[in-house]
Amino acid sequence: MMADAFLDIADLSIVLRSDRAHRLLRSVDLHVNPGEVRGLVGESGAGKSMIGKTIFDILPRAVEAVEGAVTLGGTDLLALSSNARRREIAAAAALIPQDPLTALNPVRRIEGQITDRLTAILGFSKKAARDRALTLLEEVHINDPERVLRSYPHQLSGGMRQRVLIAAAFAAEPKLIVADEPTTALDVTVQKQILRLIAEMQAHHGTALLFVTHDLGVVAKICQNVTVLFGGKVVEDTDVKGLFAHPAHPYTAALINATPRYDRPDQSLLPVPADVIEATRAEIAKADAEWLSQRGQTLKAAS
Amino acid sequence: MADIAQTAPQSGPAHRRRPLPLRLVLSGTWLLVVLICAVFAPFIAPHDPLAQDLLLERLPPFWMAGSEPGYYLGTDGLGRDVLSRIIYGARIALTVAFVAATAACVIGSALGLIAGYYRGFVDQIVSRIVDIWMSFPPVLFAILLVAVIGTGLHSVILAIIVIDWIRFCRVVRAETFVQVKLDYVDSARVAGFSRLTILIREVFPNTLPTIVALLSLEMGIAVIVEAILSFVNLSISTDDPTWGGMIAEGRTIIYFAWWVLVFPLIALFLTVLAFGQFGEGLKDRFDPVLQ
Ligand SMILES: Nc1ncnc2c1ncn2[C@@H]1O[C@H](COP(=O)(O)OP(=O)(O)OP(=O)(O)O)[C@@H](O)[C@H]1O
Ligand SMILES: [Mg+2]
């Protein structure tokens, strides 16, 4: 299973540059097979976006990957020069970002922002790229694609912008799409439409999807497998049925109890108990201590 | 912009063409008047700005007793027509404004963009230079510089460039910092663009509204600096009409002929104010993020 994963993150640790003993991601393993829809779940600050940023080589300056491998379609990304890496990533994967308000460049028309990758990386002619953009906008159910192509981002609503970003993500037929909480910034009524749209586009194109969310309900609806992250550590990696039937980690079990269930609407919701969180933190602290004792010398010397 | 405004999708906020803000209209009109005066000075000015006539010295403006027809704003201590000198003075003021401010803008903005975008080593160097520059009081710095490299229009322009590029550098660097953190920069990287392409194509256009506003403001500042240098006699020769030079001359005879001081001062004040307002107005009107 690991061997034919399209995205394979192995043993990834990310630290703060200012304090290299402080890990934001703790030996994370994560893989996504071709065509698979995998949920990545965790509370705010768990490190979900960090994983996405590592894949796309857009980590903030304050942090650094100190350990681990990221393999995309059989290519070890970290072994490539940064130029080769960005071309490889652009051709194989795309990101649907969290905030459609800032993810589009305010001073550029929509057309260029959808066709960028086609013309720059895949060598499409301007005309061919435009035709492709029109088709994509129709696929994401935008009524007047010609007009939208000519518009600037501020002339579109939040939902329209997210549709545009979805179209842009699918433009170059990537093998993998990472959707980082793509509906959080949207109006509740629009959220469902966008969610349905992403699922629909994924099925239509057969793209592998890493869906980042903090909502297990959404995971139950659209994902096959799920990875649960707590404090930068993977606490659960299973298929969705197994997750709800017999969660392996107490934190996951507590998380399930804290999530509204569509199949059991009368069940009362319980907050994640403090002792579960304490126990999970202790587990992480223990793992950190081990990790540090193995690499402490070099890390401490640098910090 | 007109065609997009009309065909914009209905889902967004309203995009009817907004009326031009009043301050943009007023400041733009004044600047246009000054520009026309500067370009067509020989045709507009009623008199030769250098012609002295001791019989006509210190004539008051047209509405006061003792004025002469044709000398609308009166004459100075040497009998030269004040209005004509103000009109010719616009030439020097605008030359300095355009040349010095544009050069300072190009140099400062380029360094600011590079420092703000690449951070690290380049930023360290640029920031240290800016810190050092900031520790000099600018007007004193200008006077010193001109005193060292010699008086004249070229020196004035050079002094303004050397001093004021940091104004652009600091603001553009800060603006670039802000822009770089926005998600569209990450989007562009994910789409596979090199850092240089992203800087030029994505980040730079987003800093333009700020740069344009600052450029306009800087033109006003350049006008003031030129006036100050003329005032202390470090700009071009005293015969040539400059607003600062006129103010300096007017100061000595303020009790006998206030108009020699007041009219160039008004011209200077309005022009500097107009440059600042014009820049702000442009920014408000054309920054897509604010629309
Ligand atoms: N630029 C940065 N510098 C230092 N630490 C950062 C930076 N960005 C994020 N972090 C830290 O990294 C951790 C993981 O952040 P991340 O953005 O991945 O969380 P997340 O799981 O995506 O949360 P959310 O659901 O709120 O988006 C957080 O504890 C955060 O404080
Ligand atoms: Mg996040």
Side-chain angles (χ1 to χ4, degrees):
Chain A
M1 187 172 164
M2 290 284 284
D4 50 42
F6 183 73
L7 168 71
D8 190 350
I9 295 176
D11 202 28
L12 176 71
S13 285
I14 285 183
V15 297
L16 281 178
R17 279 185 206 272
S18 56
D19 174 12
R20 291 160 64 91
H22 183 107
R23 286 199 290 176
L24 298 176
L25 289 185
R26 300 175 149 92
S27 309
V28 167
D29 287 315
L30 182 117
H31 45 88
V32 182
N33 291 330
E36 174 186 349
V37 180
R38 174 174 286 270
L40 178 56
V41 186
E43 59 182 13
S44 187
K48 307 182 295 293
S49 296
M50 273 310 158
I51 292 183
K53 287 180 177 167
T54 312
I55 300 169
F56 292 104
D57 194 24
I58 50 174
L59 283 174
R61 283 168 176 274
V63 309
E64 182 186 7
V66 280
E67 219 172 67
V70 181
T71 312
L72 198 63
T75 316
D76 179 2
L77 290 182
L78 302 183
L80 297 176
S81 74
S82 82
N83 267 343
R85 193 185 316 158
R86 88 183 140 74
R87 297 196 148 258
E88 185 73 30
I89 294 169
L95 176 69
I96 301 174
Q98 176 163 349
D99 186 357
L101 288 181
T102 60
L104 288 165
N105 188 337
V107 300
R108 293 186 60 208
R109 287 175 203 263
I110 298 297
E111 175 167 357
Q113 307 200 46
I114 295 180
T115 59
D116 265 352
R117 205 185 298 238
L118 298 175
T119 47
I121 307 288
L122 301 181
F124 275 55
S125 72
K126 244 191 134 170
K127 170 84 175 58
R130 187 187 163 81
D131 289 344
R132 173 112 183 93
L134 286 173
T135 317
L136 282 159
L137 286 183
E138 272 160 26
E139 272 184 40
V140 297
H141 311 301
I142 280 180
N143 285 330
D144 198 345
E146 294 270 359
R147 261 190 218 172
V148 169
L149 282 191
R150 267 182 278 128
S151 304
Y152 287 90
H154 69 267
Q155 296 171 319
L156 307 178
S157 68
M160 293 260 275
R161 290 185 219 192
Q162 195 57 295
R163 284 170 196 274
V164 165
L165 286 163
I166 292 168
F170 281 91
E173 292 288 359
K175 297 282 183 339
L176 170 73
I177 285 184
V178 178
D180 190 352
E181 306 196 47
T183 61
T184 326
L186 300 174
D187 202 66
V188 190
T189 50
V190 186
Q191 286 187 354
K192 275 192 189 149
Q193 296 171 12
I194 294 293
L195 198 62
R196 205 176 305 133
L197 177 66
I198 292 176
E200 183 187 310
M201 292 287 281
Q202 185 277 331
H204 180 66
H205 291 261
T207 319
L209 178 64
L210 181 61
F211 194 92
V212 177
T213 176
H214 46 245
D215 185 353
L216 277 179
V218 171
V219 170
K221 262 195 250 164
I222 66 167
C223 300
Q224 292 138 22
N225 299 306
V226 59
T227 300
V228 180
L229 209 60
F230 179 90
K233 188 174 187 299
V234 174
V235 293
E236 186 101 32
D237 177 354
T238 177
D239 59 306
V240 167
K241 273 198 207 105
L243 177 83
F244 288 98
H246 34 80
H249 197 278
Y251 173 75
T252 323
L255 205 59
I256 292 171
N257 287 332
T259 308
R261 294 280 297 264
Y262 301 93
D263 51 341
R264 292 182 213 151
D266 50 333
Q267 194 185 41
S268 58
L269 296 182
L270 304 168
V272 178
D275 58 329
V276 173
I277 291 184
E278 275 314 307
T280 317
R281 289 227 174 98
E283 197 182 305
I284 286 174
K286 189 160 156 276
D288 270 1
E290 264 171 43
W291 186 76
L292 267 180
S293 71
Q294 283 166 23
R295 305 164 185 77
Q297 250 85 35
T298 42
L299 282 170
K300 279 208 180 103
S303 69
Chain B
M1 293 277 294
D3 59 325
I4 318 153
Q6 275 141 28
T7 57
Q10 283 310 300
S11 54
H15 300 295
R16 262 167 282 114
R17 220 167 204 288
R18 292 180 306 161
L20 284 174
L22 187 64
R23 65 169 171 182
L24 202 56
V25 175
L26 288 180
S27 59
T29 308
W30 174 256
L31 291 177
L32 193 67
V33 168
V34 176
L35 183 69
I36 290 171
C37 286
V39 174
F40 299 107
F43 306 103
I44 296 172
H47 298 276
D48 178 350
L50 301 178
Q52 303 182 4
D53 188 340
L54 294 180
L55 296 177
L56 294 174
E57 67 175 46
R58 291 185 213 157
L59 287 178
F62 68 90
W63 66 85
M64 285 171 61
S67 63
E68 283 283 333
Y71 293 89
Y72 301 102
L73 299 182
T75 59
D76 66 8
L78 296 171
R80 296 174 297 193
D81 180 39
V82 169
L83 179 61
S84 301
R85 288 178 70 74
I86 289 178
I87 290 173
Y88 272 88
R91 289 193 149 184
I92 287 158
L94 285 196
T95 307
V96 173
F98 286 125
V99 177
T102 307
C105 174
V106 170
I107 296 169
S109 303
L111 286 173
L113 273 168
I114 292 169
Y117 186 69
Y118 290 100
R119 312 279 291 269
F121 180 63
V122 190
D123 186 31
Q124 292 284 319
I125 294 180
V126 173
S127 301
R128 286 299 85 73
I129 298 177
V130 167
D131 286 346
I132 295 170
W133 247 242
M134 298 257 302
S135 60
F136 292 102
V139 172
L140 201 64
F141 193 5
I143 292 174
L144 270 177
L145 252 172
V146 174
V148 171
I149 56 184
T151 59
L153 199 58
H154 286 98
S155 308
V156 172
I157 290 173
L158 195 68
I160 294 173
I161 298 169
V162 167
I163 293 163
D164 275 354
W165 66 271
I166 61 157
R167 198 189 303 273
F168 290 90
C169 188
R170 287 170 58 213
V171 174
V172 173
R173 173 175 171 268
E175 177 70 23
T176 309
F177 271 173
V178 174
Q179 293 293 333
V180 164
K181 292 212 180 73
L182 297 181
D183 288 349
Y184 74 84
V185 175
D186 279 347
S187 295
R189 265 197 86 67
V190 169
F193 290 99
S194 72
R195 288 176 64 80
L196 185 63
T197 311
I198 293 173
L199 174 61
I200 294 169
R201 242 181 51 161
E202 310 274 334
V203 177
F204 169 62
N206 278 289
T207 59
L208 262 181
T210 306
I211 293 179
V212 169
L214 203 58
L215 175 62
S216 189
L217 192 68
E218 176 63 29
M219 289 185 179
I221 292 170
V223 171
I224 291 192
V225 172
E226 194 279 324
I228 291 173
L229 291 176
S230 302
F231 185 83
V232 297
N233 229 336
L234 283 173
S235 185
I236 59 175
S237 80
T238 32
D239 281 346
D240 284 321
T242 64
W243 294 346
M246 293 176 74
I247 293 167
E249 286 159 24
R251 197 178 56 98
T252 58
I253 51 170
I254 176 103
Y255 298 112
F256 319 105
W258 54 265
W259 51 90
V260 182
L261 175 97
V262 168
F263 291 121
L265 200 61
I266 291 174
L268 178 69
F269 173 77
L270 285 180
T271 306
V272 173
L273 185 71
F275 271 126
Q277 292 299 311
F278 192 67
E280 286 298 316
L282 274 186
K283 188 177 157 104
D284 284 359
R285 184 68 177 75
F286 294 110
D287 190 336
V289 185
L290 295 177
Q291 283 189 4

